[in-house]
Amino acid sequence: MENNQIKTNYPALYTLIVVFFFWGFIAAGNSIFIPFCKSYFSLDQFQSQLVDFAFYTAYYLGALLLFIMSSVKGKDLVGKWGYKKSIVYGLLFSALGAVAMIIAVEVNMYAGMLLGLFIVALGFSLQQTAANPFAYLLGDPKTGASRVNLGGGINSFGTTIGPLIVAFALFGTTAAVSDDEIAGLPLNKVVYLYACVGLLFVAAAALFHFSKKVPAGISDEPMEKANKAINVLVIMTILLGVMFIPVFNSYNTDEAKKIVEIEGTIAPTTKMIEQNNNSISQIKKDQNLSEDQKSDQIEVLNVKNAELNLLIKPQVDEINEIRHPLEKKRMYWLGGALLVVIGGLVIAGSLARKKTEGWGAMQYPQVILGMLAIFTYVGVEVAIGSNLGELLKLPEFGGHSSSEIAPYISMYWGSLMIGRWAGSIAVFNLSKSKKMIALIVVPLIAFSVILIVNIIAQKDMTPLYYYIICILIQIAMFFIAKDRPAATMLIFGIMGIAAMLIGLFSEGTVAIYSFLAGGLACSIMWPSIFSLAITGLGKYTAQGSAFLVMMILGGGIIPPIQGKLADIIGIHNSYVIPVLCFAYLTLFAILVKSALKKQGIDVDNIESSGGH
């Protein structure tokens, strides 16, 4: 009987891995969807980032609602339902979101698409709460981390091919589609995509439900009381609503309508300028032209643009005069939302240390620091990828149209796969020499997989071949970190800061590689933060994990803030936000190490938990 319990339940594991794939596929696909929606619905950068806001806020609200309901019942609801049923419920809920998405696409409604993504992500929230402990249940607990890491690796593969499939659904063939032409594209392929995704959700739910080999995974663990922590999280949620509502409402004010009206009058001229800029980008790439021919043609187009800009200067000045105070007001409210999260958690941590009763896991400083770190990490990971499409449209970054950015988005999310595959090596009991070889070979194999997948999709990957230099730097970082979570956070945090600063102060290929390298810096952070934040919690470990999962909220707050900053100071300069995020993640490594040392915990002996 004991052997049967230790034997891995592979049919159930393979079905579970499909769920991990969905999370990555949809999340990374959003990075293509955002620039597309911006052009298709004529949005500003903040409005386009509401795709992330809807998606990641759903994760937070779903996890918070589950936690509150479990606290009221006194038992973990997911454990009570059983991990099997919870995943089935989550998949069916996500299928409902796919249906909502199809309806929204059919009626051409952006708000409806956001609602559809919100419902999909609510289902993901329930799936994610159940999936990690379920993976441990499907075999020997000693090899549980390897099963979670396998799920993480498949999740990352989903993030690599998600942008390619979504790009194909939106743009069809490999031919470039200019941003001017996007508004006229039919969205029927998006309907097909979400119809397929919805059917896959239902099929996976059916596999789980009807498979006799998949255990119920029922757990009767009691919930530790944390009433004060719940109060803080509820107050934070209400205040976040108070901060975001004025921003949403500001798009219906007289000032906003006036801007739209003026933009409508100069739209034909601005389109001509954009077309000239696109032509300049194409001329630069044209290998059939000599440098002199390129120079002459570009000069003619630049003269035309100068004349056109002079023609619409009065209207542009009027728009700027109205927009500047309006954008400042919006930025203040969004800054307030960030302060609500940071201030709320800092105050909660301070109060919990004075009187621990009612605070649950929040009484531990590593949990508060970890919640802020997960918030920042998910925020920066999503913000870099989601704003990348808009950055690549700039002439100094190649002047790519939305239909041409898929390889870069795929490489960014693929960078997370490279790091996660390398991070999973520690799970296997390899000799020192084999481990050293694997740390070099595995990231290079992962890089090759990204290139091959894109080449099969008929994408031009030649501009990204030299990105291997960044991967070799990451490999060196792994050797320095030596599987120590605190050291990993410190080293990769510094790598992230350096990459973002190089990207900010340069242009072209160097800057693109630097911003893509943000994915390499992020890749190994989730398990490191988790390991450090839940160490020493004892009976509060499960609760601490729930608090950390809630902070996926960062993916819904930080990208829109960068998007709004981009509307004010430009998309390139807005990458100062990731610099600040990586600065906190580096600081987290120092602060959490100090906090754990005070509790008598040796941080160098902590092992990284399973991947995100």
Side-chain angles (χ1 to χ4, degrees):
M1 183 71 183
E2 197 169 278
N3 287 339
N4 289 337
Q5 289 176 329
I6 291 170
K7 194 176 177 183
T8 300
N9 186 337
Y10 285 108
L13 180 62
Y14 296 149
T15 310
L16 183 64
I17 281 169
V18 172
V19 177
F20 277 82
F21 175 84
F22 283 146
W23 303 338
F25 174 87
I26 300 289
N30 287 345
S31 297
I32 296 289
F33 212 58
I34 285 166
F36 172 83
C37 286
K38 182 177 181 182
S39 296
Y40 191 85
F41 293 103
S42 301
L43 309 171
D44 67 20
Q45 191 63 10
F46 166 78
Q47 289 171 305
S48 70
Q49 291 294 332
L50 293 179
V51 168
D52 283 333
F53 176 79
F55 193 76
Y56 291 97
T57 304
Y59 264 101
Y60 166 70
L61 291 173
L64 178 60
L65 199 61
L66 267 177
F67 185 73
I68 292 170
M69 287 164 67
S70 298
S71 297
V72 170
K73 297 274 184 186
K75 284 200 174 171
D76 176 21
L77 270 185
V78 171
K80 189 181 175 187
W81 293 336
Y83 299 134
K84 177 179 176 176
K85 269 190 181 176
S86 296
I87 289 172
V88 170
Y89 294 156
L91 284 163
L92 292 175
F93 212 83
S94 292
L96 196 65
V99 172
M101 191 73 173
I102 289 166
I103 294 167
V105 170
E106 288 287 8
V107 297
N108 220 22
M109 188 180 174
Y110 181 56
M113 291 183 186
L114 296 180
L115 178 63
L117 281 170
F118 181 85
I119 297 169
V120 168
L122 269 181
F124 283 3
S125 179
L126 180 54
Q127 292 164 42
Q128 190 144 332
T129 304
N132 283 2
F134 196 42
Y136 275 84
L137 195 72
L138 296 178
D140 190 334
K142 291 177 186 174
T143 57
S146 67
R147 288 190 290 279
V148 174
N149 272 301
L150 178 62
I154 299 299
N155 172 278
S156 294
F157 184 65
T159 65
T160 304
I161 69 166
L164 298 173
I165 294 172
V166 173
F168 178 75
L170 294 172
F171 306 113
T173 63
T174 53
V177 178
S178 75
D179 289 338
D180 291 335
E181 295 170 318
I182 283 174
L185 287 176
L187 289 183
N188 58 322
K189 283 189 180 175
V190 179
V191 172
Y192 301 149
L193 173 69
Y194 272 91
C196 290
V197 167
L199 288 171
L200 286 170
F201 286 146
V202 173
L207 271 174
F208 264 98
H209 181 70
F210 292 112
S211 175
K212 290 176 182 176
K213 292 182 178 179
V214 179
I218 292 169
S219 168
D220 266 341
E221 291 287 315
M223 279 286 291
E224 298 298 333
K225 295 288 181 187
N227 294 335
K228 290 178 182 174
I230 288 172
N231 291 341
V232 165
L233 290 167
V234 169
I235 290 166
M236 271 172 51
T237 306
I238 293 166
L239 287 175
L240 283 172
V242 168
M243 295 296 166
F244 269 95
I245 286 168
V247 181
F248 297 149
N249 288 341
S250 71
Y251 283 91
N252 289 318
T253 59
D254 291 338
E255 293 97 325
K257 287 173 183 173
K258 182 70 176 171
I259 290 170
V260 172
E261 186 188 321
I262 299 167
E263 283 177 339
T265 62
I266 62 171
T269 311
T270 53
K271 266 191 178 178
M272 286 168 69
I273 294 168
E274 282 173 24
Q275 285 166 356
N276 288 341
N277 284 332
N278 289 334
S279 298
I280 289 168
S281 298
Q282 294 305 318
I283 291 164
K284 285 179 180 177
K285 295 174 193 173
D286 194 340
Q287 294 178 351
N288 296 320
L289 296 173
S290 68
E291 287 305 313
D292 287 341
Q293 287 173 317
K294 285 181 184 180
S295 181
D296 290 344
Q297 289 183 26
I298 288 168
E299 191 180 342
V300 170
L301 289 169
N302 280 332
V303 169
K304 280 184 182 177
N305 275 354
E307 289 169 356
L308 291 170
N309 279 315
L310 199 62
L311 194 66
I312 59 172
K313 189 178 182 299
Q315 290 95 328
V316 170
D317 289 343
E318 189 181 352
I319 288 170
N320 290 334
E321 204 175 304
I322 302 168
R323 179 173 276 155
H324 186 67
L326 190 62
E327 296 290 27
K328 264 176 84 174
K329 210 179 289 180
R330 288 168 178 165
M331 199 66 209
Y332 288 146
W333 284 111
L334 290 170
L338 192 62
L339 282 175
V340 164
V341 177
I342 297 168
L345 291 177
V346 169
I347 291 166
S350 176
L351 293 172
R353 281 195 294 277
K354 288 174 186 172
K355 192 178 180 184
T356 59
E357 190 185 344
W359 285 102
M362 279 193 190
Q363 67 189 267
Y364 294 91
Q366 61 264 40
V367 171
I368 297 293
L369 291 168
M371 287 173 79
L372 284 168
I374 290 287
F375 177 85
T376 308
Y377 152 73
V378 177
V380 72
E381 174 189 280
V382 175
I384 294 170
S386 294
N387 286 289
L388 197 58
E390 191 62 21
L391 184 82
L392 292 168
K393 289 180 184 178
L394 297 179
E396 59 269 32
F397 285 87
H400 301 279
S401 66
S402 297
S403 65
E404 296 174 312
I405 63 171
Y408 297 92
I409 302 295
S410 177
M411 185 59 76
Y412 172 72
W413 289 104
S415 295
L416 283 106
M417 181 178 84
I418 291 165
R420 286 167 186 171
W421 283 17
S424 66
I425 292 166
V427 172
F428 304 101
N429 193 20
L430 299 176
S431 65
K432 195 174 179 182
S433 58
K434 284 181 181 175
K435 190 177 174 184
M436 284 179 71
I437 294 165
L439 268 176
I440 296 167
V441 173
V442 169
L444 298 177
I445 290 171
F447 178 59
S448 302
V449 167
I450 299 161
L451 291 177
I452 291 164
V453 165
N454 276 275
I455 290 165
I456 290 169
Q458 298 182 356
K459 303 294 181 187
D460 179 17
M461 297 304 284
T462 48
L464 290 167
Y465 287 158
Y466 291 106
Y467 186 62
I468 196 168
I469 296 164
C470 299
I471 293 157
L472 293 173
I473 293 168
Q474 188 201 38
I475 291 168
M477 301 294 104
F478 272 116
F479 278 106
I480 298 166
K482 295 176 182 172
D483 294 327
R484 296 167 298 163
T488 298
M489 285 302 301
L490 185 67
I491 290 161
F492 280 84
I494 291 168
M495 178 185 173
I497 293 170
M500 294 304 107
L501 286 174
I502 291 168
L504 269 172
F505 292 105
S506 61
E507 292 175 357
T509 303
V510 171
I512 291 170
Y513 279 17
S514 297
F515 290 133
L516 292 177
L520 297 172
C522 286
S523 63
I524 202 66
M525 286 186 170
W526 175 278
S528 299
I529 296 167
F530 239 86
S531 299
L532 293 162
I534 64 172
T535 295
L537 302 192
K539 64 180 182 179
Y540 293 109
T541 302
Q543 192 181 95
S545 296
F547 287 150
L548 292 171
V549 169
M550 284 178 209
M551 288 299 106
I552 288 176
L553 171 70
I557 303 289
I558 291 173
I561 287 175
Q562 185 178 343
K564 182 44 63 192
L565 192 63
D567 289 330
I568 298 169
I569 64 171
I571 190 69
H572 190 186
N573 291 331
S574 77
Y575 272 79
V576 70
I577 295 288
V579 176
L580 298 174
C581 290
F582 280 120
Y584 172 72
L585 291 166
T586 307
L587 182 64
F588 165 75
I590 298 162
L591 295 176
V592 78
K593 187 172 182 177
S594 171
L596 290 171
K597 272 190 175 177
K598 285 176 185 174
Q599 296 168 39
I601 298 167
D602 181 6
V603 290
D604 290 332
N605 287 328
I606 299 170
E607 290 183 6
S608 287
S609 61
H612 169 40

